[in-house]
Amino acid sequence: MSHFLWIEDFEGDIRVTVDQVFGLPECPTDLPDLKDWLSPRGITLKTTFFEAYHLVRDPQQLAEIDYVVIDIDLKPYEDYDLDDPESVAEIDRFLREKKYLKETAEPLGAGWRAAVSELKKVAGYHIFTELLIEAGFPRRHILFCSNHGDQLTSITHAFEAAKLTAPLIYTKHDEVVRQWIAEKQTDAYSVLRRGVLMGCAAAEELLDRRGDDGLLFSLFFKREDEPEWPPGPASPDYVRDYLASMTALLPLCAPPSSEQRKQRYRILLHALSREWDNRAKVNHLPDKSTYMASFGTILKEVRNWTSHTQLLDDLSEADVAFIFMADLRAMFAFPRESQPHEELLLGLLSRTFGEVTEDAAAEMIGADADGRKLPLDRVYFETKRMLSEQRRSDDNDPYYDQLIRELEKDTPNRVDERDRQFFLQSLYRMFWFYPSRMRRVRYGWTAVSESGEATLFRHCEFSRTQRESFAFQLARRILIRAFPESFASRDTAKA
Protein backbone atom coordinates (compact mmCIF):
# COMPACT_ATOMS: atom_id res chain seq x y z
CA MET A 1 0.00 0.00 0.00
CA SER A 2 0.96 3.67 -0.22
CA HIS A 3 2.74 5.31 2.72
CA PHE A 4 0.99 8.07 4.69
CA LEU A 5 2.23 10.74 7.06
CA TRP A 6 -0.57 11.36 9.55
CA ILE A 7 -0.25 14.47 11.71
CA GLU A 8 -2.79 14.23 14.54
CA ASP A 9 -2.65 15.05 18.25
CA PHE A 10 -5.74 13.08 19.38
CA GLU A 11 -7.66 15.51 21.52
CA GLY A 12 -10.58 13.07 21.29
CA ASP A 13 -10.97 9.31 21.57
CA ILE A 14 -7.96 7.67 19.94
CA ARG A 15 -9.71 4.53 18.71
CA VAL A 16 -12.65 6.45 17.31
CA THR A 17 -10.32 8.82 15.45
CA VAL A 18 -8.15 6.06 13.97
CA ASP A 19 -11.27 4.23 12.82
CA GLN A 20 -12.87 7.38 11.40
CA VAL A 21 -9.85 8.34 9.33
CA PHE A 22 -8.16 5.07 8.37
CA GLY A 23 -10.84 2.48 9.08
CA LEU A 24 -8.66 0.62 11.58
CA PRO A 25 -10.63 -0.30 14.73
CA GLU A 26 -9.23 -2.00 17.83
CA CYS A 27 -5.93 -0.15 17.71
CA PRO A 28 -3.68 0.43 20.76
CA THR A 29 -4.41 3.58 22.72
CA ASP A 30 -0.93 4.15 24.13
CA LEU A 31 0.71 6.55 21.68
CA PRO A 32 4.14 4.84 21.38
CA ASP A 33 2.37 1.51 20.85
CA LEU A 34 0.00 3.12 18.35
CA LYS A 35 2.90 4.50 16.29
CA ASP A 36 4.52 1.07 16.18
CA TRP A 37 1.18 -0.54 15.27
CA LEU A 38 0.45 1.90 12.43
CA SER A 39 3.93 1.79 10.89
CA PRO A 40 3.65 -1.66 9.18
CA ARG A 41 0.23 -0.56 7.96
CA GLY A 42 1.85 2.18 5.92
CA ILE A 43 1.18 5.08 8.33
CA THR A 44 3.80 7.25 10.01
CA LEU A 45 2.13 9.07 12.90
CA LYS A 46 3.38 12.38 14.30
CA THR A 47 1.49 13.87 17.25
CA THR A 48 3.00 17.36 17.63
CA PHE A 49 3.68 20.21 15.25
CA PHE A 50 7.44 20.23 15.70
CA GLU A 51 7.70 16.45 15.40
CA ALA A 52 5.95 16.69 12.00
CA TYR A 53 7.87 19.84 11.04
CA HIS A 54 11.18 18.02 11.47
CA LEU A 55 10.05 15.24 9.17
CA VAL A 56 8.74 17.42 6.34
CA ARG A 57 11.97 19.46 6.39
CA ASP A 58 14.09 16.32 6.05
CA PRO A 59 14.23 15.29 2.35
CA GLN A 60 15.33 11.77 3.19
CA GLN A 61 12.41 11.15 5.55
CA LEU A 62 9.90 12.90 3.31
CA ALA A 63 10.96 10.70 0.39
CA GLU A 64 9.37 7.79 2.30
CA ILE A 65 5.95 9.50 2.21
CA ASP A 66 3.34 9.32 -0.56
CA TYR A 67 0.41 11.18 1.04
CA VAL A 68 -0.08 13.49 4.03
CA VAL A 69 -3.14 13.84 6.27
CA ILE A 70 -3.04 16.98 8.44
CA ASP A 71 -5.09 18.22 11.37
CA ILE A 72 -5.56 22.01 11.62
CA ASP A 73 -5.14 22.38 15.35
CA LEU A 74 -1.97 20.73 16.67
CA LYS A 75 -0.20 21.01 19.97
CA PRO A 76 3.25 22.38 19.14
CA TYR A 77 5.19 20.13 21.51
CA GLU A 78 4.93 17.62 24.33
CA ASP A 79 5.17 18.99 27.87
CA TYR A 80 8.46 17.19 28.44
CA ASP A 81 10.01 19.07 25.51
CA LEU A 82 10.17 22.17 27.70
CA ASP A 83 12.72 20.40 29.87
CA ASP A 84 15.14 20.43 26.93
CA PRO A 85 16.84 23.81 26.38
CA GLU A 86 17.44 23.01 22.70
CA SER A 87 13.75 22.30 22.13
CA VAL A 88 12.77 25.52 23.90
CA ALA A 89 15.25 27.46 21.76
CA GLU A 90 13.86 25.93 18.57
CA ILE A 91 10.26 26.75 19.54
CA ASP A 92 11.27 30.29 20.51
CA ARG A 93 13.14 30.79 17.23
CA PHE A 94 10.13 29.65 15.19
CA LEU A 95 7.68 31.85 17.10
CA ARG A 96 9.84 34.92 16.50
CA GLU A 97 10.53 34.09 12.84
CA LYS A 98 6.80 33.73 12.13
CA LYS A 99 5.96 36.92 14.09
CA TYR A 100 3.93 35.21 16.80
CA LEU A 101 6.19 36.64 19.47
CA LYS A 102 7.46 40.14 20.19
CA GLU A 103 11.19 40.58 20.52
CA THR A 104 10.90 41.55 24.17
CA ALA A 105 8.97 38.43 25.25
CA GLU A 106 10.80 36.03 27.50
CA PRO A 107 10.92 32.28 26.70
CA LEU A 108 8.36 30.30 28.71
CA GLY A 109 6.72 33.49 30.00
CA ALA A 110 3.03 34.37 29.74
CA GLY A 111 3.44 36.12 26.39
CA TRP A 112 5.46 33.20 25.07
CA ARG A 113 2.75 30.71 26.05
CA ALA A 114 0.07 32.92 24.50
CA ALA A 115 2.04 32.86 21.24
CA VAL A 116 2.19 29.05 21.44
CA SER A 117 -1.61 29.01 21.74
CA GLU A 118 -1.90 31.10 18.56
CA LEU A 119 0.45 28.78 16.71
CA LYS A 120 -1.60 25.78 17.82
CA LYS A 121 -4.70 27.10 16.04
CA VAL A 122 -2.98 27.22 12.63
CA ALA A 123 -0.18 24.66 13.00
CA GLY A 124 -1.57 22.64 10.09
CA TYR A 125 -1.21 25.71 7.85
CA HIS A 126 2.54 25.85 8.50
CA ILE A 127 2.94 22.14 7.73
CA PHE A 128 0.98 22.61 4.51
CA THR A 129 3.00 25.58 3.29
CA GLU A 130 6.29 23.91 4.21
CA LEU A 131 5.27 20.88 2.14
CA LEU A 132 3.92 22.88 -0.76
CA ILE A 133 6.40 25.74 -1.08
CA GLU A 134 9.67 24.51 0.40
CA ALA A 135 9.52 20.77 -0.32
CA GLY A 136 7.56 20.90 -3.59
CA PHE A 137 5.16 18.22 -2.34
CA PRO A 138 2.11 17.92 -4.64
CA ARG A 139 -0.99 19.67 -3.31
CA ARG A 140 -3.29 16.87 -4.41
CA HIS A 141 -1.37 14.43 -2.17
CA ILE A 142 -2.36 16.41 0.96
CA LEU A 143 -5.66 16.13 2.85
CA PHE A 144 -6.84 18.41 5.65
CA CYS A 145 -9.26 16.91 8.12
CA SER A 146 -10.14 18.27 11.54
CA ASN A 147 -12.93 18.36 14.08
CA HIS A 148 -11.83 21.85 15.19
CA GLY A 149 -14.52 23.77 13.38
CA ASP A 150 -13.90 26.76 15.61
CA GLN A 151 -10.42 27.15 14.07
CA LEU A 152 -11.55 27.40 10.45
CA THR A 153 -11.62 31.19 10.55
CA SER A 154 -8.07 31.39 11.89
CA ILE A 155 -6.61 29.08 9.26
CA THR A 156 -8.60 30.73 6.45
CA HIS A 157 -7.14 34.09 7.45
CA ALA A 158 -3.65 32.55 7.47
CA PHE A 159 -4.05 31.38 3.87
CA GLU A 160 -5.50 34.72 2.79
CA ALA A 161 -2.56 36.60 4.32
CA ALA A 162 -0.16 34.36 2.38
CA LYS A 163 -2.15 34.89 -0.86
CA LEU A 164 -2.77 31.12 -1.07
CA THR A 165 -6.03 29.41 -1.91
CA ALA A 166 -7.13 27.53 1.18
CA PRO A 167 -7.60 23.77 0.68
CA LEU A 168 -10.87 22.05 1.44
CA ILE A 169 -11.01 20.97 5.07
CA TYR A 170 -13.15 17.99 6.04
CA THR A 171 -14.25 16.71 9.41
CA LYS A 172 -12.76 13.40 10.47
CA HIS A 173 -16.13 11.64 10.30
CA ASP A 174 -16.80 12.87 6.75
CA GLU A 175 -17.10 9.89 4.40
CA VAL A 176 -14.94 11.77 1.87
CA VAL A 177 -11.95 11.30 4.19
CA ARG A 178 -12.30 7.50 4.30
CA GLN A 179 -12.91 7.35 0.54
CA TRP A 180 -9.87 9.53 -0.22
CA ILE A 181 -7.58 7.46 1.98
CA ALA A 182 -8.91 4.12 0.69
CA GLU A 183 -8.37 5.28 -2.89
CA LYS A 184 -4.83 6.49 -2.22
CA GLN A 185 -3.87 3.38 -0.24
CA THR A 186 -4.40 1.21 -3.31
CA ASP A 187 -3.56 3.70 -6.06
CA ALA A 188 -1.71 1.57 -8.62
CA TYR A 189 0.85 4.21 -9.60
CA SER A 190 1.70 5.06 -5.99
CA VAL A 191 2.03 1.40 -5.02
CA LEU A 192 4.25 0.70 -8.03
CA ARG A 193 6.42 3.73 -7.30
CA ARG A 194 6.79 2.84 -3.62
CA GLY A 195 7.66 -0.77 -4.53
CA VAL A 196 10.33 0.37 -7.00
CA LEU A 197 11.87 2.75 -4.47
CA MET A 198 11.85 0.09 -1.75
CA GLY A 199 13.26 -2.54 -4.10
CA CYS A 200 16.13 -0.36 -5.28
CA ALA A 201 16.93 0.60 -1.67
CA ALA A 202 16.88 -3.09 -0.66
CA ALA A 203 19.24 -3.98 -3.54
CA GLU A 204 21.65 -1.21 -2.57
CA GLU A 205 21.58 -2.32 1.07
CA LEU A 206 22.35 -5.85 -0.10
CA LEU A 207 25.39 -4.55 -1.99
CA ASP A 208 26.49 -2.62 1.11
CA ARG A 209 26.40 -5.83 3.16
CA ARG A 210 27.69 -8.37 0.69
CA GLY A 211 29.49 -6.51 -2.09
CA ASP A 212 30.18 -8.74 -5.09
CA ASP A 213 28.49 -11.69 -3.35
CA GLY A 214 25.18 -9.81 -3.40
CA LEU A 215 25.28 -9.35 -7.16
CA LEU A 216 24.23 -12.31 -9.32
CA PHE A 217 24.20 -10.39 -12.59
CA SER A 218 27.83 -11.34 -13.26
CA LEU A 219 26.71 -14.95 -13.81
CA PHE A 220 25.07 -13.89 -17.07
CA PHE A 221 28.44 -12.70 -18.42
CA LYS A 222 31.65 -14.38 -19.40
CA ARG A 223 34.66 -12.58 -18.02
CA GLU A 224 36.27 -12.31 -21.44
CA ASP A 225 33.15 -10.49 -22.67
CA GLU A 226 33.72 -7.78 -20.08
CA PRO A 227 37.08 -6.12 -20.88
CA GLU A 228 36.79 -3.47 -18.15
CA TRP A 229 35.91 -5.97 -15.44
CA PRO A 230 35.30 -4.24 -13.11
CA PRO A 231 33.64 -1.65 -13.39
CA GLY A 232 31.39 -2.94 -16.16
CA PRO A 233 27.61 -3.64 -16.03
CA ALA A 234 28.07 -6.43 -13.48
CA SER A 235 30.14 -4.47 -10.96
CA PRO A 236 28.58 -3.07 -7.75
CA ASP A 237 29.59 0.55 -8.48
CA TYR A 238 28.03 0.44 -11.91
CA VAL A 239 24.86 -1.20 -10.58
CA ARG A 240 24.44 1.52 -7.94
CA ASP A 241 24.17 4.08 -10.74
CA TYR A 242 21.75 1.77 -12.49
CA LEU A 243 19.50 1.63 -9.40
CA ALA A 244 19.63 5.40 -8.96
CA SER A 245 18.50 5.93 -12.56
CA MET A 246 15.37 3.86 -11.97
CA THR A 247 14.35 5.67 -8.79
CA ALA A 248 14.54 9.01 -10.61
CA LEU A 249 12.04 7.99 -13.29
CA LEU A 250 8.89 7.73 -11.18
CA PRO A 251 7.99 11.13 -9.70
CA LEU A 252 5.76 11.36 -6.64
CA CYS A 253 2.89 12.85 -8.62
CA ALA A 254 1.62 10.52 -11.34
CA PRO A 255 1.54 11.83 -14.92
CA PRO A 256 -1.95 13.27 -15.44
CA SER A 257 -3.06 11.28 -18.47
CA SER A 258 -3.07 7.57 -19.20
CA GLU A 259 -0.89 8.04 -22.27
CA GLN A 260 1.69 10.10 -20.34
CA ARG A 261 1.79 7.41 -17.68
CA LYS A 262 2.44 4.72 -20.28
CA GLN A 263 5.21 6.85 -21.78
CA ARG A 264 6.77 7.04 -18.35
CA TYR A 265 6.65 3.26 -18.04
CA ARG A 266 8.32 2.84 -21.43
CA ILE A 267 11.15 5.10 -20.28
CA LEU A 268 11.46 3.12 -17.04
CA LEU A 269 11.63 -0.19 -18.92
CA HIS A 270 14.33 1.20 -21.20
CA ALA A 271 16.41 2.08 -18.13
CA LEU A 272 15.59 -1.18 -16.34
CA SER A 273 16.49 -3.46 -19.25
CA ARG A 274 19.36 -1.52 -20.77
CA GLU A 275 22.11 -3.86 -19.53
CA TRP A 276 20.37 -7.01 -20.76
CA ASP A 277 22.00 -6.74 -24.17
CA ASN A 278 23.64 -9.48 -26.22
CA ARG A 279 26.50 -9.92 -23.73
CA ALA A 280 24.17 -11.00 -20.92
CA LYS A 281 23.19 -14.56 -21.83
CA VAL A 282 21.15 -17.20 -20.05
CA ASN A 283 23.46 -19.81 -21.59
CA HIS A 284 26.29 -18.53 -19.38
CA LEU A 285 24.46 -19.64 -16.22
CA PRO A 286 25.88 -22.77 -14.57
CA ASP A 287 22.30 -24.11 -14.21
CA LYS A 288 19.66 -23.04 -16.71
CA SER A 289 16.77 -24.96 -15.10
CA THR A 290 16.12 -22.25 -12.53
CA TYR A 291 13.91 -19.25 -11.94
CA MET A 292 16.98 -17.11 -12.48
CA ALA A 293 17.13 -18.33 -16.07
CA SER A 294 13.43 -17.51 -16.47
CA PHE A 295 13.87 -14.02 -15.07
CA GLY A 296 16.93 -13.40 -17.24
CA THR A 297 15.03 -14.54 -20.33
CA ILE A 298 12.14 -12.23 -19.51
CA LEU A 299 14.51 -9.27 -19.18
CA LYS A 300 16.29 -10.14 -22.43
CA GLU A 301 12.97 -9.99 -24.25
CA VAL A 302 11.96 -6.76 -22.52
CA ARG A 303 15.23 -5.19 -23.58
CA ASN A 304 14.79 -6.25 -27.21
CA TRP A 305 11.12 -5.29 -27.42
CA THR A 306 11.48 -1.87 -25.79
CA SER A 307 14.42 -1.08 -28.07
CA HIS A 308 13.04 -2.32 -31.37
CA THR A 309 9.25 -2.80 -31.19
CA GLN A 310 6.00 -1.34 -29.89
CA LEU A 311 5.01 -4.54 -28.12
CA LEU A 312 5.34 -3.09 -24.61
CA ASP A 313 3.78 0.30 -25.29
CA ASP A 314 0.61 -0.38 -23.32
CA LEU A 315 1.52 -1.75 -19.89
CA SER A 316 -0.41 -1.65 -16.64
CA GLU A 317 1.28 -0.93 -13.32
CA ALA A 318 1.04 -4.65 -12.52
CA ASP A 319 2.93 -5.52 -15.72
CA VAL A 320 5.72 -3.10 -14.81
CA ALA A 321 5.80 -4.50 -11.25
CA PHE A 322 6.20 -8.05 -12.59
CA ILE A 323 9.10 -7.05 -14.87
CA PHE A 324 10.76 -5.04 -12.09
CA MET A 325 10.60 -7.93 -9.62
CA ALA A 326 11.98 -10.30 -12.25
CA ASP A 327 14.86 -7.89 -12.91
CA LEU A 328 15.88 -7.59 -9.26
CA ARG A 329 15.63 -11.34 -8.68
CA ALA A 330 17.85 -12.02 -11.69
CA MET A 331 20.45 -9.46 -10.64
CA PHE A 332 20.61 -9.67 -6.83
CA ALA A 333 21.05 -12.47 -4.29
CA PHE A 334 17.92 -11.82 -2.23
CA PRO A 335 16.80 -14.50 0.24
CA ARG A 336 14.32 -16.96 -1.22
CA GLU A 337 11.51 -15.54 0.92
CA SER A 338 9.49 -12.60 -0.41
CA GLN A 339 11.03 -9.25 0.54
CA PRO A 340 9.00 -6.22 1.75
CA HIS A 341 9.04 -4.53 -1.66
CA GLU A 342 7.90 -7.79 -3.26
CA GLU A 343 5.05 -8.21 -0.78
CA LEU A 344 3.86 -4.75 -1.76
CA LEU A 345 4.08 -5.41 -5.50
CA LEU A 346 2.63 -8.92 -5.23
CA GLY A 347 -0.44 -7.28 -3.70
CA LEU A 348 -0.67 -5.07 -6.78
CA LEU A 349 -0.59 -8.17 -9.00
CA SER A 350 -3.31 -9.79 -6.89
CA ARG A 351 -5.61 -6.78 -7.24
CA THR A 352 -5.03 -6.62 -10.98
CA PHE A 353 -5.06 -10.28 -12.05
CA GLY A 354 -6.58 -12.10 -9.09
CA GLU A 355 -4.67 -14.74 -7.18
CA VAL A 356 -4.88 -18.50 -6.86
CA THR A 357 -5.02 -19.95 -3.36
CA GLU A 358 -1.91 -21.70 -2.12
CA ASP A 359 -3.62 -25.09 -2.11
CA ALA A 360 -4.98 -24.64 -5.63
CA ALA A 361 -1.61 -23.43 -6.91
CA ALA A 362 0.15 -26.45 -5.39
CA GLU A 363 -2.43 -28.74 -6.97
CA MET A 364 -1.92 -27.18 -10.42
CA ILE A 365 1.86 -27.33 -10.16
CA GLY A 366 1.79 -30.96 -9.04
CA ALA A 367 4.56 -33.06 -7.58
CA ASP A 368 5.74 -34.33 -10.98
CA ALA A 369 4.86 -34.22 -14.66
CA ASP A 370 2.06 -36.77 -14.30
CA GLY A 371 0.41 -34.76 -11.55
CA ARG A 372 0.90 -31.38 -13.14
CA LYS A 373 -2.11 -29.46 -14.40
CA LEU A 374 -0.16 -26.58 -15.88
CA PRO A 375 -0.83 -26.53 -19.63
CA LEU A 376 2.82 -26.12 -20.61
CA ASP A 377 2.75 -28.69 -23.41
CA ARG A 378 -0.46 -27.29 -24.87
CA VAL A 379 0.88 -23.73 -24.81
CA TYR A 380 4.19 -24.85 -26.28
CA PHE A 381 2.68 -26.74 -29.20
CA GLU A 382 0.10 -24.07 -29.94
CA THR A 383 2.93 -21.57 -30.17
CA LYS A 384 4.98 -23.96 -32.24
CA ARG A 385 2.19 -24.43 -34.78
CA MET A 386 2.16 -20.68 -35.33
CA LEU A 387 5.62 -21.13 -36.89
CA SER A 388 5.00 -24.49 -38.57
CA GLU A 389 5.10 -23.23 -42.13
CA GLN A 390 8.53 -21.67 -41.61
CA ARG A 391 10.27 -24.75 -40.19
CA ARG A 392 11.59 -27.99 -41.60
CA SER A 393 9.97 -31.12 -40.28
CA ASP A 394 13.23 -32.46 -38.86
CA ASP A 395 14.13 -29.36 -36.84
CA ASN A 396 14.91 -29.86 -33.17
CA ASP A 397 12.36 -28.42 -30.78
CA PRO A 398 13.46 -24.94 -29.73
CA TYR A 399 12.84 -23.51 -26.29
CA TYR A 400 9.61 -21.59 -25.74
CA ASP A 401 11.36 -18.22 -25.66
CA GLN A 402 13.03 -19.04 -28.99
CA LEU A 403 9.61 -19.66 -30.52
CA ILE A 404 8.40 -16.31 -29.22
CA ARG A 405 11.51 -14.61 -30.56
CA GLU A 406 10.91 -16.05 -34.02
CA LEU A 407 7.28 -14.94 -33.94
CA GLU A 408 8.31 -11.44 -32.87
CA LYS A 409 10.67 -11.17 -35.84
CA ASP A 410 7.75 -11.82 -38.17
CA THR A 411 5.46 -9.32 -36.46
CA PRO A 412 4.90 -6.07 -38.38
CA ASN A 413 6.39 -2.90 -36.91
CA ARG A 414 2.91 -1.49 -36.32
CA VAL A 415 1.34 -4.04 -34.00
CA ASP A 416 -2.31 -4.31 -33.05
CA GLU A 417 -3.79 -4.92 -29.62
CA ARG A 418 -4.00 -8.67 -30.16
CA ASP A 419 -0.26 -8.82 -30.87
CA ARG A 420 0.51 -6.81 -27.74
CA GLN A 421 -1.60 -9.02 -25.51
CA PHE A 422 -0.11 -12.22 -26.94
CA PHE A 423 3.52 -11.17 -26.49
CA LEU A 424 2.90 -9.64 -23.08
CA GLN A 425 1.22 -12.87 -21.95
CA SER A 426 4.23 -14.78 -23.26
CA LEU A 427 6.47 -12.93 -20.76
CA TYR A 428 4.38 -14.33 -17.92
CA ARG A 429 4.50 -17.80 -19.47
CA MET A 430 8.31 -17.67 -19.74
CA PHE A 431 8.44 -17.86 -15.95
CA TRP A 432 7.36 -21.53 -16.11
CA PHE A 433 9.39 -23.05 -18.90
CA TYR A 434 13.04 -23.02 -17.84
CA PRO A 435 12.39 -24.57 -14.38
CA SER A 436 10.48 -27.36 -16.18
CA ARG A 437 13.65 -28.45 -18.02
CA MET A 438 12.39 -29.09 -21.51
CA ARG A 439 13.50 -32.39 -22.98
CA ARG A 440 15.55 -31.63 -26.08
CA VAL A 441 14.39 -34.45 -28.35
CA ARG A 442 13.57 -34.45 -32.03
CA TYR A 443 9.80 -34.56 -32.27
CA GLY A 444 9.50 -32.85 -35.63
CA TRP A 445 6.37 -30.73 -35.71
CA THR A 446 3.76 -33.21 -34.55
CA ALA A 447 2.29 -32.24 -31.20
CA VAL A 448 2.59 -35.75 -29.81
CA SER A 449 2.27 -34.61 -26.22
CA GLU A 450 -1.29 -33.50 -26.76
CA SER A 451 -2.30 -37.16 -26.98
CA GLY A 452 -0.85 -37.78 -23.53
CA GLU A 453 1.77 -40.15 -24.90
CA ALA A 454 4.72 -37.93 -24.10
CA THR A 455 5.60 -34.60 -22.58
CA LEU A 456 8.41 -32.17 -23.19
CA PHE A 457 8.26 -30.74 -19.69
CA ARG A 458 8.86 -33.48 -17.16
CA HIS A 459 10.83 -31.78 -14.44
CA CYS A 460 9.01 -29.92 -11.68
CA GLU A 461 10.81 -27.07 -9.93
CA PHE A 462 8.21 -24.60 -8.78
CA SER A 463 8.94 -24.61 -5.03
CA ARG A 464 5.65 -26.40 -4.50
CA THR A 465 6.55 -27.40 -0.95
CA GLN A 466 8.11 -24.02 -0.12
CA ARG A 467 5.05 -21.85 0.05
CA GLU A 468 6.83 -19.03 1.80
CA SER A 469 9.25 -18.64 -1.12
CA PHE A 470 8.99 -15.68 -3.46
CA ALA A 471 8.86 -18.00 -6.48
CA PHE A 472 5.74 -19.77 -5.19
CA GLN A 473 4.04 -16.55 -4.11
CA LEU A 474 4.73 -14.98 -7.49
CA ALA A 475 3.53 -18.13 -9.27
CA ARG A 476 0.09 -18.04 -7.69
CA ARG A 477 -0.30 -14.35 -8.60
CA ILE A 478 0.48 -14.87 -12.29
CA LEU A 479 -1.19 -18.22 -12.96
CA ILE A 480 -4.44 -16.60 -14.09
CA ARG A 481 -2.58 -14.03 -16.17
CA ALA A 482 -0.46 -16.71 -17.87
CA PHE A 483 -3.12 -19.40 -18.36
CA PRO A 484 -6.57 -17.74 -18.15
CA GLU A 485 -8.27 -20.56 -20.07
CA SER A 486 -7.31 -22.99 -17.29
CA PHE A 487 -9.48 -21.04 -14.87
CA ALA A 488 -12.56 -20.58 -17.01
CA SER A 489 -14.44 -23.29 -15.10
CA ARG A 490 -12.35 -23.54 -11.94
CA ASP A 491 -13.37 -22.01 -8.63
CA THR A 492 -9.82 -21.57 -7.38
CA ALA A 493 -9.17 -17.89 -7.76
CA LYS A 494 -10.16 -14.96 -5.63
CA ALA A 495 -10.09 -11.27 -6.38
Side-chain angles (χ1 to χ4, degrees):
M1 64 176 63
S2 305
H3 203 142
F4 289 77
L5 169 61
W6 187 20
I7 307 169
E8 168 64 53
D9 61 0
F10 295 108
E11 294 187 348
D13 187 289
I14 288 179
R15 281 187 173 162
V16 169
T17 303
V18 174
D19 191 29
Q20 282 179 338
V21 178
F22 282 94
L24 294 170
E26 304 304 320
C27 65
T29 55
D30 179 72
L31 285 180
D33 291 344
L34 177 61
K35 291 179 179 181
D36 292 340
W37 187 80
L38 289 173
S39 181
R41 291 165 173 79
I43 304 165
T44 296
L45 174 64
K46 299 298 180 183
T47 55
T48 70
F49 167 73
F50 279 100
E51 188 182 20
Y53 192 64
H54 291 157
L55 187 151
V56 301
R57 288 173 64 88
D58 182 338
Q60 188 171 357
Q61 290 191 70
L62 189 59
E64 301 298 321
I65 303 300
D66 300 309
Y67 300 95
V68 182
V69 180
I70 311 176
D71 194 0
I72 297 174
D73 183 294
L74 292 164
K75 58 184 180 184
Y77 50 80
E78 299 289 358
D79 291 341
Y80 56 74
D81 289 330
L82 299 186
D83 296 330
D84 180 4
E86 290 186 5
S87 294
V88 173
E90 179 187 31
I91 298 166
D92 185 78
R93 186 166 53 252
F94 184 89
L95 293 173
R96 295 179 192 278
E97 178 185 324
K98 301 299 182 182
K99 310 301 182 186
Y100 287 101
L101 194 62
K102 294 181 180 180
E103 291 295 328
T104 56
E106 291 291 328
L108 301 180
W112 195 88
R113 294 181 184 275
V116 167
S117 296
E118 290 302 309
L119 169 61
K120 183 178 187 297
K121 296 176 185 178
V122 292
Y125 158 82
H126 289 291
I127 296 293
F128 181 86
T129 54
E130 186 69 29
L131 284 166
L132 199 68
I133 298 173
E134 299 299 329
F137 201 82
R139 185 185 184 109
R140 62 188 181 189
H141 283 229
I142 305 171
L143 177 72
F144 265 109
C145 65
S146 175
N147 289 337
H148 293 279
D150 56 330
Q151 306 298 351
L152 290 178
T153 300
S154 298
I155 200 165
T156 299
H157 287 165
F159 277 104
E160 288 174 351
K163 300 296 190 289
L164 291 173
T165 302
L168 292 174
I169 300 175
Y170 301 95
T171 59
K172 293 186 177 73
H173 55 74
D174 195 317
E175 186 60 28
V176 172
V177 173
R178 287 280 293 273
Q179 291 175 351
W180 188 88
I181 288 175
E183 175 188 326
K184 303 308 181 186
Q185 281 178 324
T186 57
D187 177 77
Y189 176 86
S190 293
V191 172
L192 171 64
R193 176 181 179 272
R194 181 56 48 198
V196 169
L197 295 182
M198 290 172 61
C200 290
E204 189 158 359
E205 191 272 335
L206 187 66
L207 292 179
D208 289 341
R209 285 191 292 108
R210 299 183 56 183
D212 288 353
D213 290 341
L215 187 59
L216 298 177
F217 192 38
S218 58
L219 296 177
F220 288 91
F221 293 85
K222 285 187 177 179
R223 189 172 292 268
E224 56 268 24
D225 292 338
E226 189 65 7
E228 330 82 65
W229 189 292
S235 71
D237 288 343
Y238 192 100
V239 170
R240 290 179 196 278
D241 290 338
Y242 166 81
L243 294 170
S245 70
M246 283 196 286
T247 61
L249 291 173
L250 292 177
L252 177 59
C253 205
S257 73
S258 174
E259 182 53 38
Q260 288 173 317
R261 194 173 296 192
K262 290 172 184 176
Q263 289 174 355
R264 178 67 60 173
Y265 297 154
R266 289 196 290 271
I267 294 170
L268 175 65
L269 289 186
H270 272 293
L272 182 149
S273 63
R274 73 187 187 204
E275 303 305 340
W276 292 90
D277 59 13
N278 290 333
R279 292 177 299 169
K281 298 181 185 297
V282 173
N283 286 340
H284 293 160
L285 294 177
D287 183 359
K288 294 187 286 294
S289 59
T290 63
Y291 294 108
M292 192 174 172
S294 295
F295 293 143
T297 300
I298 290 167
L299 267 298
K300 291 281 287 184
E301 298 310 314
V302 170
R303 192 267 180 189
N304 293 334
W305 295 351
T306 55
S307 299
H308 306 297
T309 77
Q310 299 172 322
L311 293 176
L312 300 180
D313 282 6
D314 190 13
L315 297 183
S316 70
E317 287 79 8
D319 296 324
V320 179
F322 169 69
I323 295 169
F324 175 76
M325 287 188 286
D327 182 53
L328 261 58
R329 278 285 167 171
M331 294 183 71
F332 299 97
F334 285 113
R336 68 182 183 87
E337 297 83 10
S338 297
Q339 302 303 292
H341 71 277
E342 292 168 335
E343 293 287 353
L344 186 64
L345 295 176
L346 288 171
L348 180 57
L349 266 62
S350 296
R351 290 194 296 275
T352 306
F353 306 138
E355 67 179 43
V356 176
T357 65
E358 291 188 355
D359 288 343
E363 180 186 357
M364 283 198 72
I365 292 168
D368 51 35
D370 292 335
R372 182 178 303 145
K373 298 178 182 179
L374 293 173
L376 298 184
D377 286 75
R378 177 183 59 77
V379 167
Y380 177 84
F381 282 107
E382 285 178 356
T383 308
K384 190 177 180 183
R385 278 197 297 270
M386 297 170 71
L387 283 171
S388 60
E389 295 179 359
Q390 305 167 38
R391 296 281 186 172
R392 301 192 309 274
S393 61
D394 62 347
D395 279 350
N396 286 335
D397 289 307
Y399 285 109
Y400 175 75
D401 58 286
Q402 292 174 303
L403 294 178
I404 296 298
R405 203 167 297 123
E406 290 296 321
L407 285 171
E408 181 271 314
K409 290 178 182 177
D410 296 320
T411 300
N413 288 332
R414 296 185 62 81
V415 297
D416 59 24
E417 183 61 21
R418 186 176 65 175
D419 290 326
R420 286 199 179 98
Q421 290 307 312
F422 170 79
F423 284 103
L424 180 56
Q425 184 184 45
S426 74
L427 287 181
Y428 289 89
R429 288 173 165 177
M430 285 177 192
F431 170 81
W432 305 95
F433 281 94
Y434 269 102
S436 291
R437 294 185 186 173
M438 173 180 171
R439 294 173 64 212
R440 298 283 287 186
V441 294
R442 186 168 294 189
Y443 279 127
W445 289 94
T446 302
V448 296
S449 67
E450 291 183 348
S451 67
E453 297 174 2
T455 179
L456 288 179
F457 305 100
R458 290 190 174 277
H459 186 71
C460 181
E461 182 53 60
F462 294 114
S463 300
R464 175 179 177 271
T465 60
Q466 301 173 10
R467 300 191 181 194
E468 73 280 9
S469 71
F470 168 72
F472 183 85
Q473 294 303 323
L474 175 64
R476 69 188 191 89
R477 266 82 169 193
I478 64 172
L479 271 168
I480 300 173
R481 180 68 179 90
F483 311 113
E485 60 281 355
S486 298
F487 297 89
S489 60
R490 290 172 62 94
D491 187 24
T492 57
K494 63 180 180 180

